[in-house]
Every structure is written in C-alpha cells, then in structure tokens.
Amino acid sequence: MNGQSGRSGRLAEILTLLVLVVSVASAASAQQTTAPPPQITGDYRLMLQQDFVADAALVRSTWLELRGDYADWGDGGRDTSVMGIVAFNIADKVELGGNFGYLDRMRSEDQVLFGDRLSSDVSNNGFQDVNVYGKMVFGKATRPWAAGFLVKFPTADEKEFLGSGAADYELFVANRRPSTKSAWIWNAAVRFTGDPDISGAGSGKTSVGAGGGLILKLSYSWSFLAEARYETRRYDGGDNYFIVMPTIDFRPTENIALRLGVGIGLADGAPNEDYSFGFVFHL
C-alpha cells in the first residue's frame, strides 16, 4: 500500500508541474506567433515505444530519433539506455522501422528479470535487443486504422541479463482520430514471447496489451502528450506492466523536435519512474 501511495503522490506532483510548465510555455509561444497550428499528422507521435509503433498514422517521409532513458526501480536497481529509432514511409500506405541501442543495467538480489528471481546482484552493460516493425494504414483519413507486426531479435547478451536470448513476435491494431489541434490514439496487441535462454527463468507467455493517449497542440511549437499502457505478464513468474507518461514536445523548427516524458509505473512490472528524452529529426 505504501508503494502504491508513493507512486500516486509522485504522479500528482509531476502532473501538477507539467501543467504549470505547459501553461507558461503556451502563453510565451502564443505571444511569439499567431500562425495557425498545423494538422496533427503522423510526424506527431506518442512517447512510449510501443505506442509510438502502434499508431494508425505514417511519418511523412523519414523519422530519426536519438533517445535517452533512465528507468528507476527504487532499491531494486535501474536501467540506463541510449537508443536509435527509425521509421520510413513506403508508398503512403506502409511504415517500416525499428530501434536499436545500448543498455546499462543494475538489479539487486531477489529482483525478478525474465521471470527469474535473482540470486545475486546484477551490474552489466551491452547492446540491447533489436526491434523491427511494419504496419499498413487503411480506412478514412479522418479516422485511419492500422494493422501491423513487431519482431524482437535477441541480439542482447542473455548471460548478462540484458535480454532473454529468444525472439518475440507481436501483432497489433491501432486507430487514430486526428484534427488540427488534437489527436486521440489507441491500440491493442497480442505478444508471443519466446522461452528465455536463461537457466531458472520463467517460460514465455502469450500476453495482451492495450495503450493510447492524447496529443494536444498548445501552440505552433508546443504540444502536450498524455498516454498510458498496460500489458499482462510476458513470463511465468513475471509481473503485469502498467505505466502512465505525460510528455512535453517542443519544435523549434519544422523538422526538429525535443521531447521529454516522465513515466510513473503503477504495477510491479514497470519501473517506479521512467525519464525519457528524445531528439527527433524528420523529413
């Protein structure tokens, strides 16, 4: 109970701070320009990686993002990562992309990784697993749908507890309702998780997940994003994942975006706090 109360308190504090920041930024930007806001296109995306992928919109041409994440698990440890995210529009109907990166992981004894309760502390770093996805968009432009897939390639070292050592597969559907000032997004997915190549780890399960949120244009340069994601456990012995993340998106130019999100975990399978910063260049 104390852990959940603490998380709820941190969430309220962060949301209050973000509302104040957004209000000041919106007022300042409104004084600088009177130009009407652009259409909420596929070049505006949610911050969480799964919600970024499972979106019924396409990037205009190319999305290149360098992202840094710090996930705090309290006394249980932390994950620090640097990631590259790419996405490409193919023939105005298909988007292909993926992510790759480097992970520095610390976990304390008795914490759970891949369904395995650790018998000693873990402190390792190395390359992460690589994710590749593809999706096709269909339906009306005012309410587009998308269906797609994601494949996780086990490039991370499972002996160092940086990955499971097994491939995972995911199928998803998504819907978006865009306008000139906002876009509502939701998605649902089923994931087939492979059995980890780790002694003592729990077997992989078929999990289901759902996520989505709101992109709200505050001015020509500033946007506010709010999203949440839930997923059942991926491994026997693991935990459910549930997180909410408000984000500020600032665009000093048409092709550059600076994004800062602060996530609060609301289930044991999510970090207590997740700080995510992205630098985006898109064409």
Side-chain angles (χ1 to χ4, degrees), residues 71 73 76-80 103-125 129 152 156-165 193-204 233-239 268-271:
W73 298 82
R78 51 91 176 148
D79 287 344
T80 304
L103 171 65
D104 182 56
R105 168 165 286 166
M106 292 182 62
R107 283 291 193 281
S108 301
E109 179 183 352
D110 207 39
Q111 296 300 303
V112 176
L113 274 177
F114 310 110
D116 180 21
R117 190 166 296 277
L118 300 175
S119 58
S120 61
D121 293 349
V122 168
S123 180
N124 296 308
N125 56 75
D129 291 325
K152 186 204 80 177
D157 189 345
E158 70 277 7
K159 296 178 182 179
E160 303 290 338
F161 285 95
L162 300 175
S164 69
T193 300
D195 293 339
D197 190 16
I198 300 173
S199 177
S203 59
R233 58 180 181 166
R234 295 182 180 181
Y235 303 96
D236 282 328
D239 295 299
D268 289 340

